[in-house]
Amino acid sequence: MVSKSSPDFTCPVCFDIFKDPVLLLYSHSFCKDCLQKFWREKKSKECPVCRRQSSMDNPPLNLSLRNLCESFLKEKSQRASGGSEVLCSLHGERLKLFCLEDKQPVCVVCQASRKHSGHQFFPIDEAALDYKEQLNTVLKPLQEKLKEFKRVKETCDQTASHIKVQAHQSEKQIKEEFEKLHQFLKDEEEARIRALKEEEKQKSLIMKEKIEEMSKEMSTLSDTITAIEKQMVAEDIIFLQNFKATIESSTCTLQKPQGVSGALIDVAKHLGNLRFRVWQKMKDIVQFTPVLLDPNTAESSLIISEDLSSFKQTDPSQTLPDNPERFDAYECVLGSEGFNSGSHYWDVEVGDSAWWCVGVTTESNQRKGDTFSWGRVWGVGYGAWWGDIGPVHLLEQNLHTLRVHLDLDKGQLSFSDPLQNTHLHTFKHTFTEKVLPFFYSHSPPLSILPLKPSVTIEQRRLS
C-alpha cells in the first residue's frame, strides 16, 4: 500500500506527478522531458533544484520512483471509483476549483502548476451555478425547438398514415367508377348486338318468305314448260287437237322476278362511328363539375363528398394531418385548381345553410389561425357575421343557389341568383396572382352544381 502523499511524487519543475522520472547524481529526480526542456532553456546542464552541473547527457531512469508513482495513481483511481468524490487524474487530489480559461475542474496542485499560471479560478459550486444558469438560457430554446420538431414529426406521421388512407380510398373509387363505365359499355354492347340480331332475324325471315314464294312460282313454270314440251313431241293430229288448250295454259301471268331492296344488314347503322356514338351516349351517365374541392385544404370538421363537389360537417374529433394547406380555424375549403386568366363560372347550391360565404381568395392567403385574412377574400355571404370581414358582400336575404362568374381578363367577379335571374354584386379588382375558389359554411352542406355535358361536331370549311 502506498502511503506517501502526492507532493512526494511531484516533479519540482512541472509540479505534476512524475512521468518517466530520471535521477541526477545529487539524488534529485525530474520528469525526463521537464529536465531536457530546462536544460535547453538554460543552455547548461545544471540541476533545477541545487544548480550543480551534471556530467550526464542522459540521466538514468528512476525505475523505483516510476513504479511508486504508477502505484500511487492506481490507488487514487481505485479510491475515486469506489467513492462519490471525483479526483484529479494527474495528482489524485479532490477537484475543488474550476479554471475559467481552460473551462475544466482542477485540484489545488493543478492550480499551482505552470500549466495554469495566471489563470482565474472559481470554487466548483459557484462555477457550476453560473454555468448552469448560462446553459439554461441555451437549453430553453433547444427544448422549444425539440417540441416543434416533435409536433411536426407527429404531423408527418399522421400525414404518412393519411396518404395510405387516401390512396386506398382513391383506388377503391377509381375501381368503382371504372366498373360503372365497364357496365355501361357491356350493356351498350349487348344492346347493339341485340339490335343486330333482331335485324338479322327480320331480314332473314323476309328472304325466307321471298325464296319460298319464288320456289312456288318456279314450280308452276316448270310444270307448264313440261306440259308444252310433251305436246311438242306428240303426233301432229294430237298436237293440233290440244293446241288451243296448250296455248291457253301456257299464258304466264307471273310478274318478272325482282330482287329484294334493302334486304342486307344495314352495316353502317351498326358500325358507323360506333365509338363516337357510344361516347356521345355516355354523356347521359357522366357529369362535369366546373370546380372540384380540394380535400387537403378542408378544415378537419368537414367531410368532402366522394365526387369532390360538396361538403358537410362531421364529428370534430375526425383525425386529419395538420398539413400547411389545411384550414384550422374556420370551416373553409378551397377549389382544387386556381385561375390566372380567362372567364370561369360555377353554381353553388347553398341549400339550408344559414351562415356561409362563397367567392375567391388569393393562393398566398395563409390558412392557419390568425394568419388567415378575410381581407383577401372576395365573395358574398349571409348570416350572423362579426367584425371586419374585408371585401365580403353580405346579403340581406338568403337564397338557394348562387352563381359565381370570374372574368380575370376584365378584372370582374360577379355574383347572381340564377333561379331568380337577379344580379347580386360585382367586384372590380385586378388580381396579380392566382386565385382559388373559396367556400365557407358554418352550417353545411354546400354543393357545386354539375354542368350538363354536350357533344358538338365542327366541320372545317375547305379553303
Side-chain angles (χ1 to χ4, degrees):
M1 178 67 69
V2 177
S3 59
K4 300 289 184 180
S5 61
S6 59
D8 293 332
F9 303 106
T10 302
C11 172
V13 176
C14 66
F15 300 103
D16 283 341
I17 300 297
F18 284 111
K19 294 180 181 177
D20 297 327
V22 293
L23 180 63
L24 295 182
L25 294 176
Y26 320 109
S27 299
H28 294 146
S29 294
F30 309 92
C31 295
K32 181 178 179 180
D33 290 342
C34 292
L35 181 60
Q36 295 296 331
K37 182 180 179 181
F38 182 81
W39 283 354
R40 286 195 300 271
E41 292 175 354
K42 290 292 185 178
K43 296 182 180 180
S44 65
K45 298 176 182 177
E46 62 181 36
C47 175
V49 175
C50 65
R51 305 300 178 179
R52 295 180 184 180
Q53 290 293 322
S54 173
S55 59
M56 294 182 293
D57 293 334
N58 295 303
L61 288 174
N62 190 339
L63 296 177
S64 60
L65 179 59
R66 185 179 70 177
N67 293 336
L68 287 172
C69 289
E70 290 177 354
S71 299
F72 173 77
L73 291 174
K74 183 177 180 181
E75 180 183 356
K76 288 290 186 180
S77 176
Q78 291 174 348
R79 283 192 293 167
S81 62
S84 60
E85 290 186 348
V86 180
L87 303 180
C88 177
S89 61
L90 295 177
H91 309 112
E93 297 293 333
R94 183 181 176 186
L95 300 174
K96 296 181 178 181
L97 302 173
F98 186 80
C99 178
L100 299 183
E101 280 72 12
D102 294 333
K103 299 293 188 293
Q104 62 180 18
V106 296
C107 67
V108 292
V109 180
C110 292
Q111 180 187 21
S113 67
R114 289 182 178 179
K115 181 180 178 182
H116 295 280
S117 178
H119 291 184
Q120 185 178 3
F121 301 88
F122 272 6
I124 286 291
D125 54 349
E126 292 183 16
L129 182 62
D130 290 346
Y131 282 107
K132 283 181 180 180
E133 292 179 357
Q134 179 180 338
L135 199 57
N136 195 44
T137 60
V138 178
L139 180 62
K140 287 183 177 179
L142 293 177
Q143 290 173 332
E144 292 299 323
K145 185 170 289 188
L146 178 59
K147 289 181 181 178
E148 184 66 17
F149 270 97
K150 288 181 178 179
R151 186 190 67 79
V152 175
K153 182 182 179 298
E154 183 178 353
T155 300
C156 291
D157 291 338
Q158 289 180 340
T159 302
S161 299
H162 194 61
I163 287 172
K164 295 183 180 298
V165 173
Q166 284 183 310
H168 175 73
Q169 291 177 343
S170 298
E171 180 181 352
K172 179 182 177 183
Q173 279 184 248
I174 289 172
K175 289 181 177 179
E176 290 175 353
E177 290 300 319
F178 272 93
E179 183 61 34
K180 293 176 183 177
L181 294 175
H182 293 160
Q183 188 62 47
F184 167 81
L185 293 174
K186 183 178 180 181
D187 294 343
E188 190 66 18
E189 176 190 4
E190 292 175 352
R192 292 181 180 275
I193 290 178
R194 280 197 305 271
L196 175 63
K197 294 293 185 183
E198 182 65 26
E199 183 177 355
E200 178 192 14
K201 180 180 178 182
Q202 291 176 357
K203 293 192 172 180
S204 294
L205 180 61
I206 292 173
M207 292 309 299
K208 180 181 178 182
E209 293 174 350
K210 182 68 175 177
I211 291 170
E212 289 177 352
E213 179 185 349
M214 293 185 68
S215 295
K216 290 180 180 179
E217 292 176 346
M218 289 172 63
S219 178
T220 300
L221 285 173
S222 294
D223 292 343
T224 301
I225 292 170
T226 299
I228 293 173
E229 289 176 343
K230 185 176 180 181
Q231 289 299 320
M232 292 286 289
V233 297
E235 295 180 3
D236 292 343
I237 187 65
I238 296 174
F239 169 75
L240 293 173
Q241 287 177 340
N242 296 329
F243 178 73
K244 183 179 179 181
T246 302
I247 287 296
E248 291 177 354
S249 64
S250 65
T251 302
C252 181
T253 59
L254 298 176
Q255 299 291 328
K256 184 179 180 180
Q258 299 289 332
V260 180
S261 179
L264 296 177
I265 296 291
D266 189 352
V267 176
K269 182 182 72 173
H270 296 287
L271 297 182
N273 292 320
L274 178 59
R275 294 182 185 180
F276 173 81
R277 288 187 290 114
V278 172
W279 173 62
Q280 189 178 36
K281 190 174 180 181
M282 193 178 290
K283 65 182 176 58
D284 296 331
I285 67 164
V286 299
Q287 64 182 26
F288 173 75
T289 306
V291 169
L292 298 176
L293 302 176
D294 182 357
N296 296 335
T297 66
E299 194 265 339
S300 59
S301 68
L302 302 179
I303 287 184
I304 308 300
S305 62
E306 289 187 349
D307 62 1
L308 307 179
S309 66
S310 65
F311 66 93
K312 62 182 180 180
Q313 220 157 10
T314 183
D315 186 349
S317 63
Q318 176 183 223
T319 301
L320 293 173
D322 186 24
N323 49 298
E325 300 86 0
R326 191 178 304 282
F327 286 94
D328 65 356
Y330 301 96
E331 294 88 346
C332 301
V333 61
L334 298 178
S336 61
E337 294 185 13
F339 307 112
N340 283 316
S341 61
S343 178
H344 315 272
Y345 79 90
W346 56 96
D347 291 347
V348 181
E349 186 179 279
V350 179
D352 298 327
S353 178
W355 193 354
W356 54 269
C357 175
V358 172
V360 300
T361 187
T362 53
E363 186 178 38
S364 62
N365 193 2
Q366 297 300 306
R367 303 160 197 180
K368 301 297 183 185
D370 295 336
T371 62
F372 170 70
S373 173
W374 283 102
R376 300 176 70 181
V377 175
W378 290 261
V380 296
Y382 177 81
W385 291 88
W386 66 97
D388 182 15
I389 55 172
V392 174
H393 176 75
L394 296 180
L395 302 176
E396 295 181 358
Q397 292 184 337
N398 206 350
L399 46 75
H400 182 271
T401 304
L402 175 72
R403 174 163 294 173
V404 184
H405 183 196
L406 174 65
D407 193 332
L408 289 167
D409 297 334
K410 293 182 179 179
Q412 289 185 351
L413 175 63
S414 299
F415 299 89
S416 60
D417 183 344
L419 301 182
Q420 302 297 327
N421 196 25
T422 56
H423 173 262
L424 300 174
H425 189 75
T426 295
F427 292 98
K428 292 187 177 181
H429 183 81
T430 301
F431 293 98
T432 57
E433 62 174 297
K434 182 184 289 187
V435 292
L436 293 160
F438 174 86
F439 306 89
Y440 163 78
S441 178
H442 189 64
S443 52
L446 251 67
S447 302
I448 304 166
L449 299 179
L451 300 177
K452 185 174 180 60
S454 62
V455 178
T456 59
I457 302 173
E458 293 184 1
Q459 289 186 322
R460 293 184 179 180
R461 182 176 298 174
L462 297 177
S463 57

